[in-house]
mmCIF file of all heavy atoms in Angstrom:
data_model
loop_
_atom_site.group_PDB
_atom_site.id
_atom_site.type_symbol
_atom_site.label_atom_id
_atom_site.label_comp_id
_atom_site.label_asym_id
_atom_site.label_seq_id
_atom_site.Cartn_x
_atom_site.Cartn_y
_atom_site.Cartn_z
ATOM 1 N N PRO A 6 0.841 -1.145 0.010
ATOM 2 C CA PRO A 6 -0.054 -0.032 -0.021
ATOM 3 C C PRO A 6 0.840 1.302 0.009
ATOM 4 O O PRO A 6 1.562 1.604 1.022
ATOM 5 C CB PRO A 6 -0.805 -0.085 1.313
ATOM 6 C CG PRO A 6 0.037 -0.965 2.154
ATOM 7 C CD PRO A 6 0.805 -1.863 1.347
ATOM 8 N N PRO A 7 0.812 2.073 -1.098
ATOM 9 C CA PRO A 7 1.677 3.270 -1.150
ATOM 10 C C PRO A 7 1.194 4.328 -0.120
ATOM 11 O O PRO A 7 2.016 5.226 0.190
ATOM 12 C CB PRO A 7 1.555 3.755 -2.560
ATOM 13 C CG PRO A 7 0.210 3.185 -3.020
ATOM 14 C CD PRO A 7 0.066 1.864 -2.284
ATOM 15 N N GLN A 8 0.013 4.315 0.359
ATOM 16 C CA GLN A 8 -0.539 5.253 1.253
ATOM 17 C C GLN A 8 0.200 5.274 2.648
ATOM 18 O O GLN A 8 0.116 6.180 3.364
ATOM 19 C CB GLN A 8 -2.046 5.058 1.523
ATOM 20 C CG GLN A 8 -2.932 5.194 0.240
ATOM 21 C CD GLN A 8 -3.012 3.839 -0.539
ATOM 22 O OE1 GLN A 8 -2.329 2.923 -0.233
ATOM 23 N NE2 GLN A 8 -3.906 3.931 -1.479
ATOM 24 N N LEU A 9 0.939 4.116 2.890
ATOM 25 C CA LEU A 9 1.546 3.929 4.200
ATOM 26 C C LEU A 9 3.015 4.099 4.019
ATOM 27 O O LEU A 9 3.818 3.691 4.954
ATOM 28 C CB LEU A 9 1.201 2.549 4.800
ATOM 29 C CG LEU A 9 -0.293 2.353 5.137
ATOM 30 C CD1 LEU A 9 -0.575 1.062 5.688
ATOM 31 C CD2 LEU A 9 -0.839 3.504 6.097
ATOM 32 N N ILE A 10 3.534 4.446 2.849
ATOM 33 C CA ILE A 10 5.020 4.593 2.587
ATOM 34 C C ILE A 10 5.377 6.026 2.543
ATOM 35 O O ILE A 10 4.710 6.877 2.021
ATOM 36 C CB ILE A 10 5.331 3.936 1.246
ATOM 37 C CG1 ILE A 10 4.816 2.451 1.265
ATOM 38 C CG2 ILE A 10 6.831 4.121 0.910
ATOM 39 C CD1 ILE A 10 5.477 1.602 2.264
ATOM 40 N N ASN A 11 6.501 6.351 3.201
ATOM 41 C CA ASN A 11 7.063 7.718 3.281
ATOM 42 C C ASN A 11 8.225 7.900 2.456
ATOM 43 O O ASN A 11 8.569 9.143 2.214
ATOM 44 C CB ASN A 11 7.356 8.064 4.740
ATOM 45 C CG ASN A 11 6.090 8.262 5.622
ATOM 46 O OD1 ASN A 11 5.279 9.006 5.279
ATOM 47 N ND2 ASN A 11 6.057 7.404 6.667
ATOM 48 N N ARG A 12 8.881 6.898 1.926
ATOM 49 C CA ARG A 12 10.107 7.129 1.134
ATOM 50 C C ARG A 12 10.355 5.878 0.377
ATOM 51 O O ARG A 12 10.120 4.784 0.855
ATOM 52 C CB ARG A 12 11.298 7.497 2.102
ATOM 53 C CG ARG A 12 12.633 7.716 1.418
ATOM 54 C CD ARG A 12 13.741 7.863 2.494
ATOM 55 N NE ARG A 12 15.018 7.859 1.931
ATOM 56 C CZ ARG A 12 15.642 8.907 1.403
ATOM 57 N NH1 ARG A 12 15.034 10.104 1.316
ATOM 58 N NH2 ARG A 12 16.907 8.805 0.937
ATOM 59 N N ILE A 13 10.897 5.971 -0.794
ATOM 60 C CA ILE A 13 11.353 4.896 -1.637
ATOM 61 C C ILE A 13 12.735 5.106 -2.129
ATOM 62 O O ILE A 13 13.077 6.255 -2.635
ATOM 63 C CB ILE A 13 10.355 4.673 -2.814
ATOM 64 C CG1 ILE A 13 8.920 4.356 -2.312
ATOM 65 C CG2 ILE A 13 10.852 3.502 -3.691
ATOM 66 C CD1 ILE A 13 7.885 4.441 -3.354
ATOM 67 N N GLU A 14 13.606 4.077 -2.092
ATOM 68 C CA GLU A 14 14.943 4.169 -2.760
ATOM 69 C C GLU A 14 14.957 3.008 -3.866
ATOM 70 O O GLU A 14 14.715 1.849 -3.567
ATOM 71 C CB GLU A 14 16.029 3.962 -1.743
ATOM 72 C CG GLU A 14 16.112 5.081 -0.805
ATOM 73 C CD GLU A 14 17.190 4.879 0.333
ATOM 74 O OE1 GLU A 14 17.926 3.864 0.230
ATOM 75 O OE2 GLU A 14 17.306 5.794 1.216
ATOM 76 N N ILE A 15 15.289 3.405 -5.156
ATOM 77 C CA ILE A 15 15.464 2.427 -6.228
ATOM 78 C C ILE A 15 16.947 2.402 -6.570
ATOM 79 O O ILE A 15 17.486 3.357 -7.037
ATOM 80 C CB ILE A 15 14.613 2.850 -7.376
ATOM 81 C CG1 ILE A 15 13.163 3.057 -7.060
ATOM 82 C CG2 ILE A 15 14.800 1.810 -8.520
ATOM 83 C CD1 ILE A 15 12.336 3.675 -8.145
ATOM 84 N N VAL A 16 17.574 1.330 -6.170
ATOM 85 C CA VAL A 16 19.026 1.162 -6.471
ATOM 86 C C VAL A 16 19.082 0.158 -7.634
ATOM 87 O O VAL A 16 18.667 -0.980 -7.614
ATOM 88 C CB VAL A 16 19.780 0.537 -5.208
ATOM 89 C CG1 VAL A 16 21.288 0.389 -5.612
ATOM 90 C CG2 VAL A 16 19.611 1.517 -4.080
ATOM 91 N N ARG A 17 19.778 0.625 -8.706
ATOM 92 C CA ARG A 17 19.928 -0.144 -9.953
ATOM 93 C C ARG A 17 21.261 -0.772 -10.060
ATOM 94 O O ARG A 17 22.217 -0.157 -9.828
ATOM 95 C CB ARG A 17 19.576 0.750 -11.205
ATOM 96 C CG ARG A 17 18.129 1.325 -11.073
ATOM 97 C CD ARG A 17 17.882 2.251 -12.255
ATOM 98 N NE ARG A 17 18.673 3.349 -12.435
ATOM 99 C CZ ARG A 17 18.463 4.508 -11.710
ATOM 100 N NH1 ARG A 17 17.524 4.563 -10.745
ATOM 101 N NH2 ARG A 17 19.266 5.515 -11.769
ATOM 102 N N GLY A 18 21.341 -2.078 -10.466
ATOM 103 C CA GLY A 18 22.558 -2.763 -10.615
ATOM 104 C C GLY A 18 22.632 -3.926 -9.632
ATOM 105 O O GLY A 18 21.865 -3.896 -8.628
ATOM 106 N N GLY A 19 23.445 -4.888 -9.909
ATOM 107 C CA GLY A 19 23.513 -6.107 -9.088
ATOM 108 C C GLY A 19 23.943 -5.750 -7.668
ATOM 109 O O GLY A 19 24.898 -4.957 -7.451
ATOM 110 N N ARG A 20 23.269 -6.360 -6.637
ATOM 111 C CA ARG A 20 23.627 -6.204 -5.224
ATOM 112 C C ARG A 20 23.655 -7.566 -4.551
ATOM 113 O O ARG A 20 23.448 -7.554 -3.295
ATOM 114 C CB ARG A 20 22.599 -5.267 -4.566
ATOM 115 C CG ARG A 20 22.813 -3.848 -4.911
ATOM 116 C CD ARG A 20 24.098 -3.223 -4.450
ATOM 117 N NE ARG A 20 24.338 -1.825 -4.734
ATOM 118 C CZ ARG A 20 24.734 -1.411 -5.849
ATOM 119 N NH1 ARG A 20 25.160 -2.232 -6.883
ATOM 120 N NH2 ARG A 20 24.943 -0.063 -6.071
ATOM 121 N N SER A 21 23.900 -8.643 -5.218
ATOM 122 C CA SER A 21 23.916 -9.938 -4.560
ATOM 123 C C SER A 21 25.055 -10.066 -3.532
ATOM 124 O O SER A 21 25.029 -10.817 -2.596
ATOM 125 C CB SER A 21 24.054 -11.099 -5.524
ATOM 126 O OG SER A 21 22.909 -11.310 -6.253
ATOM 127 N N SER A 22 26.219 -9.297 -3.775
ATOM 128 C CA SER A 22 27.272 -9.279 -2.754
ATOM 129 C C SER A 22 26.933 -8.716 -1.439
ATOM 130 O O SER A 22 27.697 -8.889 -0.462
ATOM 131 C CB SER A 22 28.507 -8.659 -3.356
ATOM 132 O OG SER A 22 28.175 -7.227 -3.704
ATOM 133 N N LEU A 23 25.805 -7.974 -1.367
ATOM 134 C CA LEU A 23 25.275 -7.485 -0.083
ATOM 135 C C LEU A 23 24.009 -8.126 0.341
ATOM 136 O O LEU A 23 23.790 -8.363 1.517
ATOM 137 C CB LEU A 23 25.026 -5.977 -0.265
ATOM 138 C CG LEU A 23 26.347 -5.056 -0.454
ATOM 139 C CD1 LEU A 23 25.848 -3.592 -0.576
ATOM 140 C CD2 LEU A 23 27.327 -5.216 0.632
ATOM 141 N N TYR A 24 23.149 -8.456 -0.596
ATOM 142 C CA TYR A 24 21.811 -8.922 -0.251
ATOM 143 C C TYR A 24 21.467 -10.340 -0.682
ATOM 144 O O TYR A 24 20.469 -10.899 -0.451
ATOM 145 C CB TYR A 24 20.735 -7.991 -0.866
ATOM 146 C CG TYR A 24 20.654 -6.602 -0.306
ATOM 147 C CD1 TYR A 24 21.316 -5.619 -0.996
ATOM 148 C CD2 TYR A 24 20.095 -6.368 0.859
ATOM 149 C CE1 TYR A 24 21.309 -4.287 -0.558
ATOM 150 C CE2 TYR A 24 20.047 -5.109 1.435
ATOM 151 C CZ TYR A 24 20.734 -4.074 0.725
ATOM 152 O OH TYR A 24 20.642 -2.791 1.257
ATOM 153 N N GLY A 25 22.471 -10.984 -1.358
ATOM 154 C CA GLY A 25 22.278 -12.465 -1.719
ATOM 155 C C GLY A 25 21.418 -12.615 -2.909
ATOM 156 O O GLY A 25 21.428 -11.848 -3.854
ATOM 157 N N ALA A 26 20.667 -13.731 -2.932
ATOM 158 C CA ALA A 26 19.893 -14.084 -4.089
ATOM 159 C C ALA A 26 18.924 -13.116 -4.527
ATOM 160 O O ALA A 26 18.327 -12.348 -3.764
ATOM 161 C CB ALA A 26 19.100 -15.440 -3.777
ATOM 162 N N ASP A 27 18.755 -13.085 -5.837
ATOM 163 C CA ASP A 27 17.742 -12.202 -6.570
ATOM 164 C C ASP A 27 18.071 -10.774 -6.670
ATOM 165 O O ASP A 27 17.356 -10.040 -7.338
ATOM 166 C CB ASP A 27 16.357 -12.403 -5.867
ATOM 167 C CG ASP A 27 15.906 -13.817 -5.660
ATOM 168 O OD1 ASP A 27 16.460 -14.689 -6.408
ATOM 169 O OD2 ASP A 27 15.157 -14.147 -4.704
ATOM 170 N N ALA A 28 19.106 -10.257 -6.069
ATOM 171 C CA ALA A 28 19.504 -8.888 -6.235
ATOM 172 C C ALA A 28 20.300 -8.623 -7.496
ATOM 173 O O ALA A 28 21.409 -8.222 -7.429
ATOM 174 C CB ALA A 28 20.135 -8.334 -4.967
ATOM 175 N N VAL A 29 19.733 -8.970 -8.622
ATOM 176 C CA VAL A 29 20.369 -8.979 -9.888
ATOM 177 C C VAL A 29 20.218 -7.651 -10.630
ATOM 178 O O VAL A 29 21.070 -6.972 -10.989
ATOM 179 C CB VAL A 29 20.025 -10.114 -10.781
ATOM 180 C CG1 VAL A 29 20.836 -10.172 -12.015
ATOM 181 C CG2 VAL A 29 20.210 -11.511 -10.002
ATOM 182 N N GLY A 30 18.856 -7.278 -10.805
ATOM 183 C CA GLY A 30 18.539 -6.058 -11.456
ATOM 184 C C GLY A 30 18.721 -4.936 -10.621
ATOM 185 O O GLY A 30 19.100 -3.775 -10.953
ATOM 186 N N GLY A 31 18.308 -5.064 -9.266
ATOM 187 C CA GLY A 31 18.538 -4.008 -8.294
ATOM 188 C C GLY A 31 17.812 -4.292 -7.087
ATOM 189 O O GLY A 31 17.283 -5.429 -6.822
ATOM 190 N N VAL A 32 17.610 -3.384 -6.162
ATOM 191 C CA VAL A 32 16.984 -3.454 -4.925
ATOM 192 C C VAL A 32 15.987 -2.100 -4.771
ATOM 193 O O VAL A 32 16.462 -0.981 -5.004
ATOM 194 C CB VAL A 32 17.899 -3.458 -3.785
ATOM 195 C CG1 VAL A 32 17.142 -3.498 -2.424
ATOM 196 C CG2 VAL A 32 18.815 -4.656 -3.930
ATOM 197 N N ILE A 33 14.806 -2.389 -4.503
ATOM 198 C CA ILE A 33 13.805 -1.333 -4.190
ATOM 199 C C ILE A 33 13.475 -1.424 -2.668
ATOM 200 O O ILE A 33 12.967 -2.486 -2.246
ATOM 201 C CB ILE A 33 12.671 -1.370 -5.059
ATOM 202 C CG1 ILE A 33 13.007 -1.224 -6.505
ATOM 203 C CG2 ILE A 33 11.604 -0.351 -4.637
ATOM 204 C CD1 ILE A 33 11.817 -1.447 -7.499
ATOM 205 N N GLN A 34 13.600 -0.386 -2.019
ATOM 206 C CA GLN A 34 13.275 -0.360 -0.543
ATOM 207 C C GLN A 34 12.235 0.680 -0.250
ATOM 208 O O GLN A 34 12.371 1.907 -0.625
ATOM 209 C CB GLN A 34 14.507 -0.133 0.316
ATOM 210 C CG GLN A 34 14.159 -0.185 1.797
ATOM 211 C CD GLN A 34 15.363 -0.491 2.721
ATOM 212 O OE1 GLN A 34 15.225 -0.870 3.934
ATOM 213 N NE2 GLN A 34 16.557 -0.287 2.265
ATOM 214 N N ALA A 35 11.173 0.337 0.540
ATOM 215 C CA ALA A 35 10.170 1.214 0.957
ATOM 216 C C ALA A 35 10.340 1.452 2.422
ATOM 217 O O ALA A 35 10.457 0.471 3.225
ATOM 218 C CB ALA A 35 8.741 0.666 0.584
ATOM 219 N N PHE A 36 10.162 2.657 2.877
ATOM 220 C CA PHE A 36 10.265 2.995 4.291
ATOM 221 C C PHE A 36 8.942 3.561 4.915
ATOM 222 O O PHE A 36 8.216 4.323 4.175
ATOM 223 C CB PHE A 36 11.375 4.075 4.553
ATOM 224 C CG PHE A 36 12.683 3.657 4.054
ATOM 225 C CD1 PHE A 36 13.169 3.874 2.719
ATOM 226 C CD2 PHE A 36 13.654 3.095 5.034
ATOM 227 C CE1 PHE A 36 14.407 3.524 2.355
ATOM 228 C CE2 PHE A 36 14.850 2.798 4.549
ATOM 229 C CZ PHE A 36 15.317 2.875 3.265
ATOM 230 N N THR A 37 8.712 3.127 6.063
ATOM 231 C CA THR A 37 7.382 3.504 6.701
ATOM 232 C C THR A 37 7.612 4.601 7.813
ATOM 233 O O THR A 37 6.650 5.274 8.122
ATOM 234 C CB THR A 37 6.639 2.305 7.398
ATOM 235 O OG1 THR A 37 7.484 1.743 8.428
ATOM 236 C CG2 THR A 37 6.332 1.334 6.366
ATOM 237 N N LEU A 38 8.828 4.788 8.327
ATOM 238 C CA LEU A 38 9.025 5.805 9.394
ATOM 239 C C LEU A 38 8.889 7.167 8.812
ATOM 240 O O LEU A 38 9.244 7.451 7.763
ATOM 241 C CB LEU A 38 10.434 5.577 9.953
ATOM 242 C CG LEU A 38 10.495 4.569 11.042
ATOM 243 C CD1 LEU A 38 11.997 4.362 11.429
ATOM 244 C CD2 LEU A 38 9.740 4.971 12.348
ATOM 245 N N PRO A 39 8.409 8.157 9.619
ATOM 246 C CA PRO A 39 8.354 9.522 9.207
ATOM 247 C C PRO A 39 9.693 10.097 8.923
ATOM 248 O O PRO A 39 10.700 9.668 9.570
ATOM 249 C CB PRO A 39 7.630 10.301 10.303
ATOM 250 C CG PRO A 39 7.937 9.413 11.520
ATOM 251 C CD PRO A 39 8.008 8.010 10.986
ATOM 252 N N GLN A 40 9.855 10.997 7.988
ATOM 253 C CA GLN A 40 11.112 11.572 7.660
ATOM 254 C C GLN A 40 11.342 13.032 8.207
ATOM 255 O O GLN A 40 12.221 13.710 7.878
ATOM 256 C CB GLN A 40 11.209 11.667 6.073
ATOM 257 C CG GLN A 40 11.053 10.335 5.431
ATOM 258 C CD GLN A 40 12.078 9.316 5.827
ATOM 259 O OE1 GLN A 40 13.188 9.637 5.843
ATOM 260 N NE2 GLN A 40 11.628 8.139 6.247
ATOM 261 N N HIS A 41 10.438 13.457 9.051
ATOM 262 C CA HIS A 41 10.487 14.804 9.624
ATOM 263 C C HIS A 41 10.234 14.712 11.117
ATOM 264 O O HIS A 41 9.665 13.843 11.576
ATOM 265 C CB HIS A 41 9.486 15.739 8.927
ATOM 266 C CG HIS A 41 8.089 15.237 9.002
ATOM 267 N ND1 HIS A 41 7.241 15.371 10.128
ATOM 268 C CD2 HIS A 41 7.352 14.511 8.079
ATOM 269 C CE1 HIS A 41 6.122 14.815 9.886
ATOM 270 N NE2 HIS A 41 6.150 14.313 8.602
ATOM 271 N N GLU A 42 10.779 15.730 11.851
ATOM 272 C CA GLU A 42 10.579 15.826 13.292
ATOM 273 C C GLU A 42 9.231 16.443 13.610
ATOM 274 O O GLU A 42 8.667 17.244 12.916
ATOM 275 C CB GLU A 42 11.746 16.507 13.927
ATOM 276 C CG GLU A 42 13.099 15.751 13.782
ATOM 277 C CD GLU A 42 14.152 16.355 14.704
ATOM 278 O OE1 GLU A 42 13.877 17.386 15.392
ATOM 279 O OE2 GLU A 42 15.275 15.829 14.681
ATOM 280 N N GLY A 43 8.742 16.012 14.831
ATOM 281 C CA GLY A 43 7.532 16.629 15.355
ATOM 282 C C GLY A 43 6.479 15.578 15.690
ATOM 283 O O GLY A 43 6.703 14.412 15.557
ATOM 284 N N LYS A 44 5.393 16.024 16.233
ATOM 285 C CA LYS A 44 4.272 15.140 16.562
ATOM 286 C C LYS A 44 3.012 15.566 15.748
ATOM 287 O O LYS A 44 2.751 16.711 15.671
ATOM 288 C CB LYS A 44 3.888 15.289 18.067
ATOM 289 C CG LYS A 44 5.086 14.960 19.017
ATOM 290 C CD LYS A 44 4.633 15.232 20.422
ATOM 291 C CE LYS A 44 5.733 14.993 21.439
ATOM 292 N NZ LYS A 44 5.343 15.298 22.843
ATOM 293 N N SER A 45 2.419 14.618 15.080
ATOM 294 C CA SER A 45 1.251 14.931 14.234
ATOM 295 C C SER A 45 0.360 13.705 14.049
ATOM 296 O O SER A 45 0.816 12.561 14.272
ATOM 297 C CB SER A 45 1.859 15.366 12.866
ATOM 298 O OG SER A 45 2.503 14.323 12.246
ATOM 299 N N GLY A 46 -0.850 13.965 13.703
ATOM 300 C CA GLY A 46 -1.819 13.008 13.321
ATOM 301 C C GLY A 46 -2.528 13.450 11.995
ATOM 302 O O GLY A 46 -2.415 14.579 11.626
ATOM 303 N N TRP A 47 -3.185 12.462 11.475
ATOM 304 C CA TRP A 47 -3.908 12.780 10.232
ATOM 305 C C TRP A 47 -5.106 11.871 10.008
ATOM 306 O O TRP A 47 -5.082 10.702 10.407
ATOM 307 C CB TRP A 47 -2.917 12.715 9.037
ATOM 308 C CG TRP A 47 -2.158 11.450 8.892
ATOM 309 C CD1 TRP A 47 -0.946 11.197 9.476
ATOM 310 C CD2 TRP A 47 -2.485 10.265 8.140
ATOM 311 N NE1 TRP A 47 -0.535 9.916 9.235
ATOM 312 C CE2 TRP A 47 -1.462 9.427 8.334
ATOM 313 C CE3 TRP A 47 -3.564 9.972 7.350
ATOM 314 C CZ2 TRP A 47 -1.437 8.095 7.721
ATOM 315 C CZ3 TRP A 47 -3.517 8.699 6.742
ATOM 316 C CH2 TRP A 47 -2.535 7.830 6.990
ATOM 317 N N LEU A 48 -6.064 12.424 9.328
ATOM 318 C CA LEU A 48 -7.256 11.702 8.866
ATOM 319 C C LEU A 48 -7.442 12.065 7.425
ATOM 320 O O LEU A 48 -7.224 13.209 6.950
ATOM 321 C CB LEU A 48 -8.491 12.161 9.658
ATOM 322 C CG LEU A 48 -8.493 11.936 11.190
ATOM 323 C CD1 LEU A 48 -9.666 12.628 11.811
ATOM 324 C CD2 LEU A 48 -8.522 10.467 11.477
#
């Protein structure tokens, strides 16, 4: 669900030497933690 994602990193190129199997084309990582300081809520 993209609505719960705060940041995405798309790394292109082989990364099996760090992540093992299947990291041939690249690695895509989604982050859920907030990227800014403060206290907030939302609806």
Side-chain angles (χ1 to χ4, degrees):
Q8 299 88 349
L9 300 178
I10 301 302
N11 287 302
R12 177 183 170 89
I13 299 168
E14 294 177 4
I15 306 172
V16 179
R17 301 180 295 282
R20 285 295 180 276
S21 286
S22 58
L23 296 178
Y24 295 100
D27 309 333
V29 184
V32 179
I33 297 177
Q34 180 158 201
F36 298 88
T37 62
L38 276 173
Q40 303 299 311
H41 53 83
E42 292 192 358
K44 302 177 182 179
S45 61
W47 52 274
L48 300 169

